[in-house]
Amino acid sequence: MTNHKAESITITVVGSGYVGLVASACFAEIGHRVICVDNDEAKVRTLQAGGIPIHEDFLPELLNQHRGGKLEFTTDLRAAAQAAQAIFIAVGTPQSRTGSADLSFVDAVASEIARSIDSYKVIVEKSTVPVYTNEWIRRVIERNGVPKDLFDVASNPEFLREGTAVVDFLHPDRIVVGAATDRASDLLKAIYAPLTSGEYYAAGNRIPGPRQQDEPPPLLLTSTKAAEIIKHASNAFLATKISFINVVANICEAAGADVEDVSRGIGMDSRIGSKFLRAGIGYGGSCFPKDVAAFRNVAELVGVDFGLLHEVERINEEQKLRFFQKVRSALWTFRGKKIGVLGLAFKGGTDDIRESPALDIVQRLIGEGCLISAYDPAAEERAKETIPPGPQMRYVDSPYAAAQDADALLILNDWKEFCELDLERLHYTLRYPIVIDGRNLFDPTTMTSLGFTYLSVGRPGLSQPVDPISVFHAPKKKER
Ligand code: UGA
């Protein structure tokens, strides 16, 4: 790898969404020249002017450092494609009505690239796409008259989590490259050489993360089809782990065991692993729901019964409903009840509300006539697009403002700042000290000893109905 170490490669990234923007900033960070293209002129102007459209740790630092130097933004795909050695396609692959991935953006970009290129390029699919997409991109480019020896199509899926995408990119568990020719795989190996050689981790000003110079990430070279399947199967497996632990949580709840203990006990088995075994209100986001459906669809298309994924989806839906019923069991009736909500994004650490279980629950509560005061450290603006502020929906600027005089407080995502709440202050801020925690952020014993009625997911005693006498007729604490 050492002969690749100092090589700076010119890379075009098509698409400036989560994946495209993070990949662009990180490729520049590891020494390449990057041209990030988007057909949204307003977005490109924002990026050129120093705006940062998404909430992502370390992204502002990287964009500020590399913008105007190694990293530029443009709408001119033709010029960008001609200048680059590798062209990464990172456009959206939304879910179609049938559950399959809608690849029309990928198709359009591939055609435009084909009409632009005049020298050898490696075209790399970075978007999450079903198996065979690589073949389709190749066909589209050939149909546009590009000779076979002027391009290769490779697959390089990403495994970035929103919120930690920069660290995930620069300190990955693995880098997967699906390529059919040495020419294509050599270029991709050279692109990632600063990471795989450990060189990046020796730099004094690197973005910190788990990888070290003597423990660089492996690069797995596969066929293009295997790389495509690795991406879908990884997300489907992680979603399966979450649905699995959520059902186990429901068993724990009924049996009087603590799912946190159970999860720890299962996770200590190195064959299973401790990650993605946190019970809660179900998974959301722009990836798991869409990718589980798309992978199920792939299975159907190739004649394989993947009923397991149907169950994963069903359990996920049911988990939100169970939580909603838990809130009902604590409040008895809903109409006119004031409910404080902490968390609107699909998880903590992001402003993304796509497929957010939190928003789903809030919408159900509004439908039942509740009055919501909601706080999220980053997702307010985006949430307002789905649930505009109004008589039943107030957006507030602190967790305590959400709790103010509320009949109950719901915790719907796992922002770190929620774990650091002043619980005594929370207690006297609430009208009734009821906390219903969909993310198991607090210790039930501590919460009970502080006088809260505390319900969480899969922990002892929670299947018991709330005792209305103790909750509603408990002596009110002193006001401050
Ligand atoms: C996910 C994958 O983790 C990434 O590897 C992948 O690259 C990305 O999708 C993608 O395909 O682009 P992300 O959607 O950002 O990343 O979010 P996760 O951190 O994976 O969480 C997904 C959902 O599962 C969230 O709603 C989260 O709260 C929930 N979750 C996660 C649980 O309920 N329990 C857990 O133990 C873990």
Side-chain angles (χ1 to χ4, degrees):
M1 297 310 307
T2 39
N3 56 337
H4 290 305
K5 271 171 70 175
E7 198 178 343
S8 170
I9 292 161
T10 302
I11 296 172
T12 282
V13 177
V14 188
S16 65
Y18 266 99
V19 175
L21 193 56
V22 170
S24 297
C26 292
F27 282 141
E29 168 73 1
I30 60 174
H32 302 303
R33 179 188 165 217
V34 183
I35 310 167
C36 180
V37 189
D38 204 296
N39 59 6
D40 182 337
E41 287 185 13
K43 196 170 180 192
V44 168
R45 269 199 305 275
T46 305
L47 288 163
Q48 285 167 336
I52 295 153
I54 53 173
H55 179 96
E56 201 59 54
D57 279 354
F58 297 115
L59 189 60
E61 289 89 326
L62 293 191
L63 291 180
N64 287 336
Q65 192 181 336
H66 300 298
R67 183 190 300 108
K70 290 200 203 99
L71 174 59
E72 61 183 287
F73 296 98
T74 177
T75 52
D76 188 347
L77 175 55
R78 186 181 172 79
Q82 286 176 350
Q85 294 160 269
I87 305 166
F88 284 76
I89 302 179
V91 295
T93 52
Q95 191 172 336
S96 73
R97 269 185 302 144
T98 58
S100 64
D102 174 354
L103 299 173
S104 48
F105 296 124
V106 177
D107 186 353
V109 166
S111 303
E112 213 177 326
I113 291 170
R115 289 193 291 270
S116 308
I117 56 179
D118 50 8
S119 61
Y120 176 78
K121 312 286 171 196
V122 178
I123 296 152
V124 191
E125 44 166 28
K126 192 95 182 132
S127 309
T128 303
V129 292
V131 63
Y132 290 124
T133 304
N134 205 282
E135 295 292 323
W136 273 108
I137 295 176
R138 181 187 314 281
R139 275 191 227 175
V140 167
I141 293 174
E142 273 177 18
R143 268 185 208 155
N144 277 277
V146 181
K148 279 190 172 65
D149 59 353
L150 220 54
F151 76 99
D152 276 305
V153 186
S155 172
N156 171 222
E158 55 77 24
F159 304 99
L160 317 176
R161 286 161 302 170
E162 287 183 20
T164 55
V166 168
V167 174
D168 290 344
F169 190 103
L170 295 169
H171 295 262
D173 284 351
R174 79 298 205 190
I175 295 159
V176 174
V177 169
T181 67
D182 289 346
R183 210 175 174 191
S185 60
D186 284 349
L187 186 68
L188 277 149
K189 283 184 200 164
I191 288 172
Y192 285 105
L195 301 182
T196 53
S197 67
E199 181 197 353
Y200 177 70
Y201 310 107
N205 57 350
R206 71 186 182 282
I207 297 292
R211 289 280 172 202
Q212 303 295 333
Q213 190 181 8
D214 55 357
E215 263 184 84
L219 185 147
L220 176 69
L221 194 56
T222 68
S223 69
T224 54
K225 286 183 191 142
E228 289 166 331
I229 294 175
I230 286 169
K231 169 68 194 191
H232 263 163
S234 299
N235 273 3
F237 189 80
L238 292 170
T240 304
K241 258 186 128 174
I242 297 169
S243 278
F244 184 89
I245 199 65
N246 279 334
V247 179
V248 173
N250 300 339
I251 294 173
C252 288
E253 212 163 295
D258 185 334
V259 72
E260 298 298 323
D261 289 341
V262 174
S263 176
R264 220 169 289 133
I266 310 171
M268 280 174 172
D269 185 327
S270 59
R271 293 169 302 175
I272 297 173
S274 60
K275 292 181 182 158
F276 280 70
L277 281 182
R278 284 193 335 272
I281 53 175
Y283 60 78
S286 65
C287 303
F288 284 179
K290 170 173 79 80
D291 292 350
V292 170
F295 200 35
R296 185 167 48 66
N297 192 270
V298 165
E300 259 165 49
L301 288 177
V302 298
V304 172
D305 181 357
F306 209 158
L308 175 64
L309 293 186
H310 273 292
E311 271 305 287
V312 168
E313 290 173 315
R314 187 194 61 74
I315 292 163
N316 200 52
E317 279 310 301
E318 203 175 282
Q319 200 65 8
K320 291 181 245 180
L321 200 61
R322 271 185 79 97
F323 185 80
F324 178 74
Q325 299 299 7
K326 196 170 280 173
V327 181
R328 191 193 289 280
S329 80
L331 293 180
W332 185 27
T333 64
F334 276 139
R335 189 153 303 281
K337 290 271 163 72
K338 268 192 79 178
I339 299 192
V341 164
L342 300 187
L344 296 166
F346 78 97
K347 63 175 185 178
T350 175
D351 59 351
D352 197 337
I353 51 132
R354 286 176 287 177
E355 301 287 326
S356 168
L359 278 200
D360 182 289
I361 287 160
V362 168
Q363 276 168 322
R364 283 177 209 257
L365 292 168
I366 290 175
E368 295 282 342
C370 294
L371 313 175
I372 309 288
S373 291
Y375 171 69
D376 187 289
E380 177 177 332
E381 288 314 311
R382 292 193 176 202
K384 279 178 177 164
E385 290 163 20
T386 307
I387 313 180
Q392 280 184 265
M393 184 68 180
R394 234 162 44 92
Y395 290 89
V396 295
D397 59 8
S398 84
Y400 304 104
Q404 189 68 49
D405 293 326
D407 292 298
L409 184 72
L410 312 188
I411 300 175
L412 300 183
N413 74 18
D414 51 359
W415 277 95
K416 202 163 157 268
E417 77 167 78
F418 299 160
C419 306
E420 292 155 3
L421 287 174
D422 175 344
L423 295 173
E424 283 189 17
R425 181 172 170 198
L426 198 65
H427 193 278
Y428 65 72
T429 305
L430 282 160
R431 180 152 184 252
Y432 298 109
I434 304 174
V435 173
I436 309 169
D437 181 356
R439 301 292 185 157
N440 290 359
L441 299 190
F442 297 108
D443 169 40
T445 316
T446 310
M447 293 300 276
T448 311
S449 68
L450 286 169
F452 286 100
T453 293
Y454 179 67
L455 309 186
S456 52
V457 180
R459 299 200 280 182
L462 304 183
S463 59
Q464 303 301 319
V466 178
D467 174 4
I469 308 297
S470 69
V471 173
F472 289 99
H473 301 287
K476 189 91 173 92
K477 315 117 294 183
K478 62 178 185 311
E479 307 280 346
R480 286 202 200 170

